[in-house]
Amino acid sequence: MNPKPLLLIDVDGPLNPYAAKAQRRPEGYRTHRMRPTGWTGAESAKPLRVWLNPDHGAELLALAEAYELVWATTWKGEANEWIGPHLGLPELPWIEWPRMHGRAPAGTFWKTQYILEYAGERPFAWIDDDISDLDRAYVEQRHPAHALLLRIDERIGLVRADFDALAGWAGQHAGY
């Protein structure tokens, strides 16, 4: 039997709707203050505001029956320290980006080429707020297995329809 498809999870946008109005936290989200590595320098700098919805942890754990969950975020392994515990998630593997925020082929998002490297020949679903049609076309042309690239609105974060789409896609590609 083949391994489960990957579910590649970005933090900022899908789990943390950072672009929502600054003084209006989306419904169901709780405010957390964090100081991950590299957060704007000085110790006196205000901690990073992160909005997380604890219900998303249960939703992701339910999807873990069909997927192997992986952090695909600039938080890298620190997502296990700062994000996962607030959502009730176990420690997850993460993508160690060879280079962040650099140039990317064919007008794609910088993560896309590394997502394909990480996935190898496995099917995957990827949730991120920076996915475009160029990324979808790039993956379709170069990835040998099924892939779902699900763009999440960074003002809203993950919603019921997104979890339903991920569950439905996994059901269609189980045992690929």
Side-chain angles (χ1 to χ4, degrees), residues 88-104:
L89 295 175
E91 187 164 315
L92 301 176
W94 68 89
I95 297 175
E96 185 65 53
W97 309 109
R99 180 181 167 149
M100 294 196 307
H101 308 291
R103 292 183 54 144

Side-chain angles (χ1 to χ4, degrees), residues 74-110:
T74 58
W75 291 73
K76 299 187 281 187
E78 284 192 86
N80 285 317
E81 176 183 349
W82 295 101
I83 305 300
H86 293 290
L87 300 177
L89 295 175
E91 187 164 315
L92 301 176
W94 68 89
I95 297 175
E96 185 65 53
W97 309 109
R99 180 181 167 149
M100 294 196 307
H101 308 291
R103 292 183 54 144
T108 59
F109 181 41
W110 67 266

